[in-house]
Amino acid sequence: MSVSSSGLSSSAAPSDDPQRTSDPLLGRRLLIVEDDPYIALALEETLTEFGLVIAGMARSVDEAVRLSRDDGVDLALLDVNIGHERIDPVADALAARGCPFIFTTGCGRAGLPEAHLEHAMVEKPFYVEEILTALRSELSRAEER
């Protein structure tokens, strides 16, 4: 699956994966912070198909900070640049409560918040499998702490 401004596409259905029932992402509540409404909608629809529960969608940093403080969020997917704002306050709020998160960006690692360089990043345009792998990795890393 890849994402573009027109959405996600798939080469295999989620149910084709025999290990899906043991996927650590199943039932996890995900916060998506993405200012592009088409990408956000495509992520919501596709990640739901893979067993994640969308706990919230934010298109602004203020809204994302508010949602990131909610105990109903297990993981987060953060676009680095939300309009003209940077995602740093959201990453700080999530890190303060030990909530795992990953970044998406078209700017490479140099654009990540300096305080959170250890977190996984997926470069746009991306495949949904990259998002899922990065989320699993961050979840595993957080559970080891």
Side-chain angles (χ1 to χ4, degrees):
M1 281 184 213
S2 65
V3 70
S4 66
S5 60
S6 61
L8 296 170
S9 61
S10 176
S11 58
S15 60
D16 292 347
D17 184 0
Q19 296 180 355
R20 183 156 188 250
T21 58
S22 63
D23 189 336
L25 296 178
L26 284 177
R28 298 290 181 149
R29 298 163 299 184
L30 178 71
L31 169 63
I32 298 173
V33 183
E34 171 62 60
D35 59 344
D36 183 306
Y38 298 108
I39 293 174
L41 181 61
L43 283 167
E44 179 181 27
E45 289 176 1
T46 303
L47 294 174
T48 299
E49 290 175 15
F50 281 89
L52 285 151
V53 175
I54 306 307
M57 299 274 292
R59 293 181 55 196
S60 73
V61 169
D62 287 343
E63 181 181 15
V65 167
R66 183 181 55 76
L67 290 170
S68 68
R69 293 184 176 138
D70 186 351
D71 287 337
V73 173
D74 299 321
L75 295 159
L77 175 66
L78 309 177
D79 185 3
V80 172
N81 295 302
I82 303 298
H84 299 295
E85 297 181 277
R86 301 238 332 131
I87 200 69
D88 301 47
V90 181
D92 293 343
L94 289 165
R97 52 178 286 264
C99 182
F101 57 90
I102 67 168
F103 296 107
T104 63
T105 183
C107 303
R109 290 204 78 77
L112 298 184
E114 199 161 313
H116 304 288
L117 293 175
E118 76 280 4
H119 287 271
M121 179 212 67
V122 179
E123 186 101 29
K124 290 179 179 181
F126 48 73
Y127 291 94
V128 75
E129 289 84 359
E130 293 174 294
I131 297 287
L132 294 168
T133 298
L135 286 170
R136 287 182 193 109
S137 174
E138 282 298 312
L139 183 60
S140 175
R141 192 171 74 87
E143 289 176 346
E144 289 173 1
R145 286 186 241 150

